[in-house]
Amino acid sequence: MHPLRRLFAFARPYRRDAALGTVYSVLNKFFDVLPELLIGVAVDVVVNRQASFLARLGLVDPMHQLYALVALTVAVWVFESIFEYLYALKWRGLAQDLQHTLRNAAYAHLQALPPDTIARERSGRLMALMNEDVNQIERFLNTGANDLIQVFCSSLMVGAVFFALTADLAVLALLPIPLILLGAFWFQKRLYPRYAAARDAAATVSSRLNNNLAGMATIQAYTAEAFEAEHVRAASDDFRQRNAAAIRVSAAITPVIRMAVLAGFIATLLYGGWLALNGKLGVGSYSALVYLTQRLLWPLTRLADMTDLYQRAMASANRVMDLLETKLPVRGNAQPAAPAKGALAFENVGFSYDARPAVQDISLRVPAGQTVALVGGTGGGKSTLLKLLLRFIDPDAGRIRLDGMDIAALDPAALRRVIGYVAQDPFLTDGTIADNIAYGERVPDLAKVEAAARAAEAHDFVAALPQGYASAVGERGAQLSGGQRQRIALARALYRDPAILVLDEATSAVDNETEAAIQRSLARITHQRTTLIVAHRLSTVRQADAIHVLDAGRIVESGTHDELVARNGFYAALWRLQTGEA
């Protein structure tokens, strides 16, 4: 489907605004063309006086004719100005409204996609899409739509006047228009792929810069400044070259159109002058036609800018619409039992990434209120099971039950509200500590915030900060240490008092003191709720009610810590490796 049709389909609620804007643009152009006709009438009055066109309408006195022309001119300019104000107001307002709606729709759709789908996309490309691409569409609606409408209307109106006065001259004057339009379409076809390539190159630059800013400490630590600067230079140079390829084509449009305009103007000047000299065309009519030829053909020189703006907007519209049409996962609408008990059951669950099995035929039960740990080597399938539980992905085989209900039938948002999730690398929003603990609530309950922080052993370090819970954490929690971020993330999970607590490597990146603090927290809070822990550090899961060892996507051992050590199998080998035992 053409990108303009896709954009129109999305903008259905704004069709009334677009229709009004079109009407105002047409009326503005109508009054814009009239002054040239009035110039011809004025010349006719001065030359022919009592025999002029206005004299035949009853105004015999030449001065009265001039007074009438002055009044008409004032009225025409006033109406032209009024409709120019109205079309600018309507088109620019529409541009801002549609820009706002598009950006919010794109972001909302992005939030509804699974995290793995988003992770496969370059962040720079997504940022460019929601900023520059949406802005490009806004710029086209701001001015480009009105320009296209007015050029079309101008051609119709002026062409009608030409044919009314002299058909022969009209054919000569209008002859360049088809050539101009064909040339514009020819250039359009060559511009579109060039601008699409330029937008992709711009996304690459944005992605590279975004990635490097996030990893500046590593870049400097490895003295890789020159190395990364070369990467940025290469990406920027590719963007520059792709833009240059588009510019070479777009820059040629105006000179070509000017030559066509010159041909039409010369035809009017010579042939119209010959008709006037031989008495076949009035001097006033000749004057009006010369001016109207300029008014008809000269705006076509702006086709270069219009075509350039249009093609950029259509390339951007396609990218935005592609995102909005990305298929969303199937969502259930059932609600978990209230209150949720937290009993979990994985029944013959299997999942593959691009035909590569991640978990195979996993079956395990987590009774309500128990703590169950998943351990094993990298790539064993532990984190995949957590993603399946949170419905970030859906299983290829088997099913997962919460309190006896298949989670595929549950509303994912309702499911996640009964789960407290702590990631290995916790995300903190750029706000205060209280904002992050009560994440998602506009007005945090400060008593609950402090209670959650105490449970996560975060209260002491928060209270020691100059502003306490009102202290800013910085972008992605940059003002806090890794251990402090982890404890804030744990407090955030506890704030919502979930039936299920999910810890994904929650202590893998913290020091021994922080791990001990988190261990103390877990010892107090896990007996109140179902807890599912993924861990590489086996010391974190020694007290779990059950430990399941995963290898190559399968459960190879299950039992308590003491049972598994006594069995002298896979888990015992991992334990000896971590404790340094022979």
Side-chain angles (χ1 to χ4, degrees):
M1 185 186 295
H2 192 276
L4 194 58
R5 290 185 63 187
R6 298 172 79 184
L7 188 60
F8 279 164
F10 177 85
R12 187 179 300 272
Y14 298 102
R15 286 186 178 180
R16 183 176 178 275
D17 290 331
L20 279 174
T22 301
V23 170
Y24 295 149
S25 295
V26 171
L27 289 173
N28 169 259
K29 181 49 63 178
F30 172 75
F31 286 104
D32 184 48
V33 167
L34 288 181
E36 275 70 22
L37 293 177
L38 294 179
I39 290 172
V41 174
V43 172
D44 183 50
V45 168
V46 172
V47 173
N48 295 318
R49 303 191 180 196
Q50 284 83 2
S52 69
F53 171 74
L54 287 181
R56 292 196 297 273
L57 295 179
L59 286 172
V60 179
D61 189 333
M63 284 306 299
H64 291 168
Q65 295 176 28
L66 289 176
Y67 292 148
L69 280 175
V70 169
L72 279 172
T73 300
V74 170
V76 165
W77 279 70
V78 167
F79 279 112
E80 180 191 354
S81 300
I82 289 173
F83 286 115
E84 182 172 359
Y85 170 76
L86 290 175
Y87 84 63
L89 202 65
K90 188 57 67 176
W91 281 116
R92 291 178 185 178
L94 174 61
Q96 295 304 314
D97 289 344
L98 189 58
Q99 175 197 45
H100 173 75
T101 304
L102 265 176
R103 182 175 287 114
N104 280 283
Y107 179 72
H109 195 85
L110 200 61
Q111 283 197 136
L113 292 172
D116 281 9
T117 302
I118 298 171
R120 283 195 294 269
E121 292 284 352
R122 292 178 299 171
S123 60
R125 178 182 180 278
L126 295 175
M127 289 295 293
L129 187 150
M130 287 187 286
N131 282 312
E132 182 57 30
D133 282 328
V134 172
N135 291 343
Q136 194 68 57
I137 296 169
E138 180 260 341
R139 284 192 284 270
F140 170 69
L141 290 174
N142 245 338
T143 57
N146 171 73
D147 288 346
L148 288 173
I149 291 168
Q150 292 207 330
V151 165
F152 176 74
C153 291
S154 176
S155 302
L156 288 181
M157 292 174 186
V158 176
V161 173
F162 264 82
F163 277 102
L165 293 175
T166 167
D168 292 346
L169 186 56
V171 171
L172 286 175
L174 298 177
L175 190 61
I177 292 181
L179 299 176
I180 291 171
L181 294 177
L182 284 173
F185 288 131
W186 185 87
F187 278 112
Q188 276 185 19
K189 288 182 180 178
R190 281 148 185 80
L191 272 175
Y192 182 81
R194 287 171 170 80
Y195 277 131
R199 293 301 313 131
D200 285 338
T204 299
V205 173
S206 179
S207 182
R208 172 64 64 181
L209 290 171
N210 189 51
N211 184 71
N212 285 9
L213 288 175
M216 191 57 68
T218 301
I219 292 171
Q220 293 178 358
Y222 283 85
T223 62
E225 292 91 341
F227 179 76
E228 288 298 344
E230 175 59 25
H231 278 159
V232 172
R233 188 207 61 78
S236 182
D237 188 56
D238 182 52
F239 175 50
R240 179 173 61 88
Q241 290 181 19
R242 291 182 186 276
N243 250 336
I247 291 169
R248 281 194 294 271
V249 176
S250 65
I253 302 176
T254 298
V256 170
I257 292 175
R258 282 176 180 268
M259 295 302 101
V261 169
L262 177 64
F265 185 70
I266 289 173
T268 303
L269 199 65
L270 287 178
Y271 186 60
W274 181 81
L275 290 175
L277 288 172
N278 287 278
K280 297 180 180 180
L281 183 67
V283 175
S285 297
Y286 174 62
S287 302
L289 289 177
V290 170
Y291 281 112
L292 283 172
T293 303
Q294 285 278 78
R295 179 52 60 94
L296 170 66
L297 298 177
W298 198 250
L300 295 177
T301 60
R302 294 167 58 197
L303 273 177
D305 293 333
M306 286 184 249
T307 302
D308 185 84
L309 194 60
Y310 173 79
Q311 289 298 349
R312 286 178 183 267
M314 292 306 99
S316 293
N318 255 343
R319 287 158 57 92
V320 177
M321 292 302 129
D322 285 345
L323 171 62
L324 290 173
E325 292 169 11
T326 304
K327 189 176 179 181
L328 296 175
V330 178
R331 298 174 63 93
N333 53 18
Q335 300 293 310
K341 296 177 181 178
L344 295 173
F346 293 77
E347 300 175 354
N348 307 112
V349 173
F351 181 80
S352 299
Y353 293 103
D354 300 323
R356 178 176 54 82
V359 293
Q360 306 175 63
D361 198 29
I362 295 289
S363 293
L364 65 92
R365 295 188 178 276
V366 184
Q370 284 201 3
T371 298
V372 170
L374 304 175
V375 301
T378 301
K382 305 180 298 298
S383 292
T384 298
L385 283 179
L386 298 191
K387 291 178 183 178
L388 289 165
L389 172 61
L390 288 159
R391 288 207 64 195
F392 292 160
I393 52 178
D394 289 321
D396 300 327
R399 58 188 172 185
I400 303 170
R401 294 183 181 275
L402 168 63
D403 295 336
M405 297 180 67
D406 188 345
I407 65 169
L410 298 177
D411 176 9
L415 168 67
R416 292 164 191 162
R417 276 194 289 268
V418 303
I419 299 174
Y421 174 61
V422 182
Q424 178 178 0
D425 183 18
F427 166 78
L428 297 187
T429 187
D430 190 4
T432 67
I433 290 176
D435 292 335
N436 277 278
I437 293 177
Y439 186 55
E441 292 191 4
R442 294 186 183 277
V443 182
D445 183 330
L446 295 181
K448 282 182 63 180
V449 166
E450 184 176 330
R454 287 183 181 278
E457 296 219 4
H459 175 74
D460 289 345
F461 86 78
V462 174
L465 296 173
Q467 293 178 285
Y469 287 93
S471 301
V473 302
E475 187 176 5
R476 297 186 64 87
Q479 302 298 320
L480 303 178
S481 70
Q484 289 172 337
R485 287 197 297 271
Q486 199 67 270
R487 279 184 271 184
I488 294 297
L490 181 58
R492 177 171 58 195
L494 298 176
Y495 179 86
R496 67 197 325 181
D497 192 23
I500 302 169
L501 184 62
V502 173
L503 307 175
D504 187 4
E505 301 285 6
T507 62
S508 63
V510 300
D511 55 53
N512 292 334
E513 182 183 351
T514 301
E515 182 188 10
I518 292 176
Q519 289 281 34
R520 290 194 299 270
S521 302
L522 294 178
R524 288 195 306 272
I525 62 178
T526 53
H527 71 276
Q528 302 169 4
R529 55 182 53 84
T530 304
T531 305
L532 197 58
I533 303 174
V534 163
H536 276 108
R537 287 188 181 181
L538 302 186
S539 56
T540 307
V541 300
R542 285 188 65 179
Q543 307 304 320
D545 296 303
I547 299 171
H548 301 282
V549 184
L550 279 80
D551 182 49
R554 296 181 183 275
I555 295 177
V556 294
E557 286 183 331
S558 296
T560 65
H561 171 78
D562 292 336
E563 290 171 349
L564 292 172
V565 170
R567 195 173 298 170
N568 201 27
F570 200 103
Y571 180 88
L574 287 175
W575 177 254
R576 288 195 297 270
L577 183 66
Q578 291 190 16
T579 57
E581 294 180 12

